[in-house]
Amino acid sequence: MSAPPTLQQLFEELLRLGHATTPQLAERLGCSPQAINARLAELAALGYGVESDPHRGHRLAHCPDLLLADELIARLRLEAGPPALLGREVFVYRQTDSTSDVIERLALEGAGEGTVVFAESQTRGRGRRGRVWLSPPGVGLWFSLLLRPPWPPAAVTRITILAAVALVEALDEMAGLAAQIKWPNDVLMGGRKIAGILTEMETDSDLVRFVTLGIGVNVHAFRLPPELQGVATSVESERGERIRRAELAVALLRRLDRLYRGARDGHFETITRQWGEHSSTLGRRVVISVGGQRLEGQAMALDENGSLLLRTDHGRIERIVGGDVILET
Ligand code: BTN
């Protein structure tokens, strides 16, 4: 008999087969029935409901709202085969400073592209422009990914754009929500922020060494400080019921993987088209504050790098790389 199976292997079998008896699982995983039963007991201790029928065997009848790396990887591998890049390595922290800081440390130690770090809570979650990102325990998806795109720094905004498309698609599939994207990084429901994206990079002269893509999704409703009431929302508040964070995470990672590979293969144009379908920015009059400057005009399109093309009131086309957008009516 070989080594006892990992929880990930057990998850994969249970998810693939639906029902399986202990001897079946033991045979498939090349281990003893006792090793299977020990792992099943571990799952139960974590809060997973395993129903056992004397004839049909075990079934995962209930999964808690827990982020467990073994389950996330098993689900990722199961649904339509293993992802090519993202989610090959998944780490889940109960608490950390910022998942983006963890990814940065891992990247500097040589971690591979596609490494993902989730945290149940962050003590120093951050948003764009040094803002604080509230990340209380158990209510959201707070995670970061390590990417090593073969692009110049100017093209890295593509990552923010494709992440926004992945978020809108996953929120639609898993929660039936029709979210909108405000350039560059806000995902909104009814004008309130439901998710945010933080794309940071480390460069070496004119080359990107690595990109840290940080994503925060407010999944369950939680008490917001007064300054965020009316500004932020959550999947639960919008949908009226809860969804499992792990399943939203897997749906998101699958899409991120597909879109990132598409962008790497030169299909960014398709992504900008999808982005345009969900954008609350294009075609609108906007005011943009960037580097202490205020620009006004009409948001026209995205360029090949994900920058926003703005037609100013003087008829000039400005290429906007970063900044805060205010949508005018
Ligand atoms: C923004 O909208 O300003 C971006 C918010 C990004 C928040 C996420 S949560 C996971 C990752 N870790 C962080 O510290 N920030 C990002």
Side-chain angles (χ1 to χ4, degrees), residues 98-100 122 124-128 133 142-144 185-186 193 196-198 214-216:
S98 154
T99 53
S100 291
Q122 301 182 114
R124 289 180 45 204
R126 59 171 188 271
R128 277 176 75 235
W133 183 265
W142 327 126
F143 69 106
S144 303
N185 76 321
D186 291 338
K193 190 142 162 169
I197 301 159
L198 180 68
I215 296 184

mmCIF file of all heavy atoms in Angstrom, residues 98-100 122 124-128 133 142-144 185-186 193 196-198 214-216, ligand 1:
data_model
loop_
_atom_site.group_PDB
_atom_site.id
_atom_site.type_symbol
_atom_site.label_atom_id
_atom_site.label_comp_id
_atom_site.label_asym_id
_atom_site.label_seq_id
_atom_site.Cartn_x
_atom_site.Cartn_y
_atom_site.Cartn_z
ATOM 1 N N SER A 98 -1.391 41.319 4.130
ATOM 2 C CA SER A 98 -2.067 41.528 2.853
ATOM 3 C C SER A 98 -1.643 40.370 1.950
ATOM 4 O O SER A 98 -0.454 40.055 1.871
ATOM 5 C CB SER A 98 -1.626 42.863 2.256
ATOM 6 O OG SER A 98 -1.769 42.830 0.849
ATOM 7 N N THR A 99 -2.609 39.762 1.278
ATOM 8 C CA THR A 99 -2.251 38.633 0.403
ATOM 9 C C THR A 99 -1.321 39.105 -0.713
ATOM 10 O O THR A 99 -0.510 38.336 -1.223
ATOM 11 C CB THR A 99 -3.509 37.985 -0.203
ATOM 12 O OG1 THR A 99 -4.297 38.994 -0.840
ATOM 13 C CG2 THR A 99 -4.339 37.268 0.848
ATOM 14 N N SER A 100 -1.416 40.378 -1.066
ATOM 15 C CA SER A 100 -0.527 40.893 -2.116
ATOM 16 C C SER A 100 0.913 40.976 -1.609
ATOM 17 O O SER A 100 1.861 40.741 -2.359
ATOM 18 C CB SER A 100 -1.017 42.254 -2.616
ATOM 19 O OG SER A 100 -2.221 42.088 -3.334
ATOM 20 N N GLN A 122 -7.500 39.937 6.439
ATOM 21 C CA GLN A 122 -6.248 40.674 6.271
ATOM 22 C C GLN A 122 -6.209 41.800 7.295
ATOM 23 O O GLN A 122 -7.210 42.465 7.540
ATOM 24 C CB GLN A 122 -6.173 41.317 4.883
ATOM 25 C CG GLN A 122 -6.260 40.340 3.717
ATOM 26 C CD GLN A 122 -6.127 41.046 2.373
ATOM 27 O OE1 GLN A 122 -5.169 40.837 1.651
ATOM 28 N NE2 GLN A 122 -7.095 41.882 2.037
ATOM 29 N N ARG A 124 -3.892 44.271 6.987
ATOM 30 C CA ARG A 124 -3.487 45.499 6.281
ATOM 31 C C ARG A 124 -3.877 45.424 4.821
ATOM 32 O O ARG A 124 -3.071 45.681 3.929
ATOM 33 C CB ARG A 124 -1.991 45.718 6.438
ATOM 34 C CG ARG A 124 -1.638 46.123 7.865
ATOM 35 C CD ARG A 124 -0.175 46.338 8.069
ATOM 36 N NE ARG A 124 0.429 47.106 6.998
ATOM 37 C CZ ARG A 124 1.719 47.051 6.695
ATOM 38 N NH1 ARG A 124 2.521 46.252 7.358
ATOM 39 N NH2 ARG A 124 2.214 47.775 5.726
ATOM 40 N N GLY A 125 -5.153 45.022 4.594
ATOM 41 C CA GLY A 125 -5.648 44.957 3.218
ATOM 42 C C GLY A 125 -5.585 46.347 2.609
ATOM 43 O O GLY A 125 -5.916 47.330 3.268
ATOM 44 N N ARG A 126 -5.120 46.425 1.376
ATOM 45 C CA ARG A 126 -5.002 47.761 0.778
ATOM 46 C C ARG A 126 -5.680 47.820 -0.581
ATOM 47 O O ARG A 126 -5.784 46.817 -1.293
ATOM 48 C CB ARG A 126 -3.541 48.183 0.672
ATOM 49 C CG ARG A 126 -2.688 47.259 -0.147
ATOM 50 C CD ARG A 126 -1.301 47.865 -0.386
ATOM 51 N NE ARG A 126 -0.568 47.046 -1.341
ATOM 52 C CZ ARG A 126 0.187 46.038 -1.021
ATOM 53 N NH1 ARG A 126 0.325 45.685 0.242
ATOM 54 N NH2 ARG A 126 0.813 45.337 -1.961
ATOM 55 N N GLY A 127 -6.139 49.018 -0.910
ATOM 56 C CA GLY A 127 -6.736 49.256 -2.212
ATOM 57 C C GLY A 127 -5.827 50.156 -3.026
ATOM 58 O O GLY A 127 -4.668 50.372 -2.652
ATOM 59 N N ARG A 128 -6.339 50.652 -4.113
ATOM 60 C CA ARG A 128 -5.544 51.544 -4.953
ATOM 61 C C ARG A 128 -5.274 52.839 -4.212
ATOM 62 O O ARG A 128 -6.021 53.230 -3.334
ATOM 63 C CB ARG A 128 -6.304 51.872 -6.244
ATOM 64 C CG ARG A 128 -6.153 50.808 -7.302
ATOM 65 C CD ARG A 128 -6.998 51.132 -8.488
ATOM 66 N NE ARG A 128 -6.453 52.191 -9.295
ATOM 67 C CZ ARG A 128 -7.105 53.313 -9.624
ATOM 68 N NH1 ARG A 128 -8.317 53.532 -9.183
ATOM 69 N NH2 ARG A 128 -6.550 54.211 -10.401
ATOM 70 N N TRP A 133 -8.363 48.575 2.499
ATOM 71 C CA TRP A 133 -9.399 47.648 2.019
ATOM 72 C C TRP A 133 -9.829 46.800 3.214
ATOM 73 O O TRP A 133 -9.056 45.992 3.715
ATOM 74 C CB TRP A 133 -8.874 46.770 0.883
ATOM 75 C CG TRP A 133 -9.942 45.865 0.337
ATOM 76 C CD1 TRP A 133 -10.180 44.577 0.708
ATOM 77 C CD2 TRP A 133 -10.919 46.180 -0.666
ATOM 78 N NE1 TRP A 133 -11.254 44.079 0.001
ATOM 79 C CE2 TRP A 133 -11.732 45.033 -0.850
ATOM 80 C CE3 TRP A 133 -11.195 47.324 -1.429
ATOM 81 C CZ2 TRP A 133 -12.786 44.989 -1.756
ATOM 82 C CZ3 TRP A 133 -12.248 47.278 -2.339
ATOM 83 C CH2 TRP A 133 -13.027 46.116 -2.491
ATOM 84 N N TRP A 142 -10.576 37.435 -0.316
ATOM 85 C CA TRP A 142 -9.430 38.340 -0.333
ATOM 86 C C TRP A 142 -8.273 37.489 -0.843
ATOM 87 O O TRP A 142 -7.811 36.594 -0.132
ATOM 88 C CB TRP A 142 -9.120 38.907 1.058
ATOM 89 C CG TRP A 142 -10.274 39.158 1.990
ATOM 90 C CD1 TRP A 142 -10.411 38.679 3.259
ATOM 91 C CD2 TRP A 142 -11.446 39.969 1.765
ATOM 92 N NE1 TRP A 142 -11.585 39.136 3.816
ATOM 93 C CE2 TRP A 142 -12.245 39.924 2.926
ATOM 94 C CE3 TRP A 142 -11.899 40.731 0.670
ATOM 95 C CZ2 TRP A 142 -13.459 40.598 3.050
ATOM 96 C CZ3 TRP A 142 -13.117 41.397 0.787
ATOM 97 C CH2 TRP A 142 -13.870 41.342 1.961
ATOM 98 N N PHE A 143 -7.850 37.722 -2.067
ATOM 99 C CA PHE A 143 -6.786 36.866 -2.592
ATOM 100 C C PHE A 143 -5.930 37.575 -3.627
ATOM 101 O O PHE A 143 -6.333 38.584 -4.201
ATOM 102 C CB PHE A 143 -7.367 35.565 -3.160
ATOM 103 C CG PHE A 143 -8.177 35.709 -4.432
ATOM 104 C CD1 PHE A 143 -7.648 35.304 -5.654
ATOM 105 C CD2 PHE A 143 -9.456 36.213 -4.407
ATOM 106 C CE1 PHE A 143 -8.397 35.407 -6.832
ATOM 107 C CE2 PHE A 143 -10.217 36.332 -5.578
ATOM 108 C CZ PHE A 143 -9.680 35.919 -6.792
ATOM 109 N N SER A 144 -4.732 37.020 -3.829
ATOM 110 C CA SER A 144 -3.800 37.594 -4.799
ATOM 111 C C SER A 144 -3.146 36.483 -5.603
ATOM 112 O O SER A 144 -2.986 35.360 -5.115
ATOM 113 C CB SER A 144 -2.716 38.403 -4.082
ATOM 114 O OG SER A 144 -3.310 39.418 -3.295
ATOM 115 N N ASN A 185 -10.777 49.827 -12.237
ATOM 116 C CA ASN A 185 -10.718 48.620 -11.402
ATOM 117 C C ASN A 185 -11.920 48.391 -10.499
ATOM 118 O O ASN A 185 -11.842 47.579 -9.592
ATOM 119 C CB ASN A 185 -9.465 48.705 -10.510
ATOM 120 C CG ASN A 185 -9.689 49.678 -9.368
ATOM 121 O OD1 ASN A 185 -10.313 50.715 -9.573
ATOM 122 N ND2 ASN A 185 -9.253 49.325 -8.198
ATOM 123 N N ASP A 186 -12.994 49.132 -10.695
ATOM 124 C CA ASP A 186 -14.130 48.968 -9.785
ATOM 125 C C ASP A 186 -15.192 48.075 -10.393
ATOM 126 O O ASP A 186 -15.581 48.279 -11.538
ATOM 127 C CB ASP A 186 -14.798 50.327 -9.500
ATOM 128 C CG ASP A 186 -13.924 51.226 -8.662
ATOM 129 O OD1 ASP A 186 -13.030 50.703 -7.973
ATOM 130 O OD2 ASP A 186 -14.143 52.454 -8.701
ATOM 131 N N LYS A 193 -19.690 49.601 -4.731
ATOM 132 C CA LYS A 193 -18.581 48.688 -5.023
ATOM 133 C C LYS A 193 -18.802 47.313 -4.397
ATOM 134 O O LYS A 193 -19.020 47.186 -3.197
ATOM 135 C CB LYS A 193 -17.301 49.307 -4.468
ATOM 136 C CG LYS A 193 -16.071 48.616 -4.894
ATOM 137 C CD LYS A 193 -14.995 49.640 -5.137
ATOM 138 C CE LYS A 193 -13.631 49.036 -5.152
ATOM 139 N NZ LYS A 193 -12.635 49.985 -5.632
ATOM 140 N N GLY A 196 -13.070 44.863 -5.906
ATOM 141 C CA GLY A 196 -11.999 45.754 -6.365
ATOM 142 C C GLY A 196 -10.780 44.956 -6.800
ATOM 143 O O GLY A 196 -10.596 43.801 -6.386
ATOM 144 N N ILE A 197 -9.991 45.583 -7.629
ATOM 145 C CA ILE A 197 -8.814 44.917 -8.212
ATOM 146 C C ILE A 197 -7.597 45.805 -7.978
ATOM 147 O O ILE A 197 -7.666 47.014 -8.213
ATOM 148 C CB ILE A 197 -9.023 44.748 -9.739
ATOM 149 C CG1 ILE A 197 -10.280 43.933 -10.022
ATOM 150 C CG2 ILE A 197 -7.801 44.114 -10.395
ATOM 151 C CD1 ILE A 197 -10.827 44.151 -11.429
ATOM 152 N N LEU A 198 -6.525 45.203 -7.536
ATOM 153 C CA LEU A 198 -5.294 45.953 -7.315
ATOM 154 C C LEU A 198 -4.165 45.264 -8.071
ATOM 155 O O LEU A 198 -3.754 44.172 -7.703
ATOM 156 C CB LEU A 198 -4.976 45.983 -5.812
ATOM 157 C CG LEU A 198 -3.728 46.730 -5.395
ATOM 158 C CD1 LEU A 198 -3.889 48.224 -5.624
ATOM 159 C CD2 LEU A 198 -3.428 46.473 -3.917
ATOM 160 N N GLY A 214 -4.262 41.502 -7.065
ATOM 161 C CA GLY A 214 -5.024 41.342 -5.818
ATOM 162 C C GLY A 214 -6.493 41.607 -6.077
ATOM 163 O O GLY A 214 -6.842 42.590 -6.743
ATOM 164 N N ILE A 215 -7.332 40.722 -5.568
ATOM 165 C CA ILE A 215 -8.776 40.864 -5.787
ATOM 166 C C ILE A 215 -9.503 40.766 -4.452
ATOM 167 O O ILE A 215 -9.231 39.880 -3.636
ATOM 168 C CB ILE A 215 -9.284 39.764 -6.752
ATOM 169 C CG1 ILE A 215 -8.618 39.959 -8.119
ATOM 170 C CG2 ILE A 215 -10.816 39.782 -6.873
ATOM 171 C CD1 ILE A 215 -9.085 39.021 -9.198
ATOM 172 N N GLY A 216 -10.409 41.683 -4.250
ATOM 173 C CA GLY A 216 -11.260 41.636 -3.055
ATOM 174 C C GLY A 216 -12.710 41.610 -3.492
ATOM 175 O O GLY A 216 -13.130 42.449 -4.283
HETATM 176 C C1 BTN B 1 -9.362 48.746 -4.916
HETATM 177 O O1 BTN B 1 -10.520 48.697 -5.309
HETATM 178 O O2 BTN B 1 -8.845 49.807 -4.574
HETATM 179 C C2 BTN B 1 -8.585 47.464 -4.903
HETATM 180 C C3 BTN B 1 -8.912 46.571 -3.755
HETATM 181 C C4 BTN B 1 -8.127 45.285 -3.743
HETATM 182 C C5 BTN B 1 -8.290 44.490 -2.469
HETATM 183 C C6 BTN B 1 -7.602 43.168 -2.522
HETATM 184 S S1 BTN B 1 -8.055 42.105 -1.207
HETATM 185 C C7 BTN B 1 -6.792 40.989 -1.652
HETATM 186 C C8 BTN B 1 -5.582 41.814 -2.036
HETATM 187 N N1 BTN B 1 -4.794 42.145 -0.861
HETATM 188 C C9 BTN B 1 -4.810 43.445 -0.612
HETATM 189 O O3 BTN B 1 -4.212 44.000 0.340
HETATM 190 N N2 BTN B 1 -5.544 44.097 -1.526
HETATM 191 C C10 BTN B 1 -6.087 43.189 -2.511
#
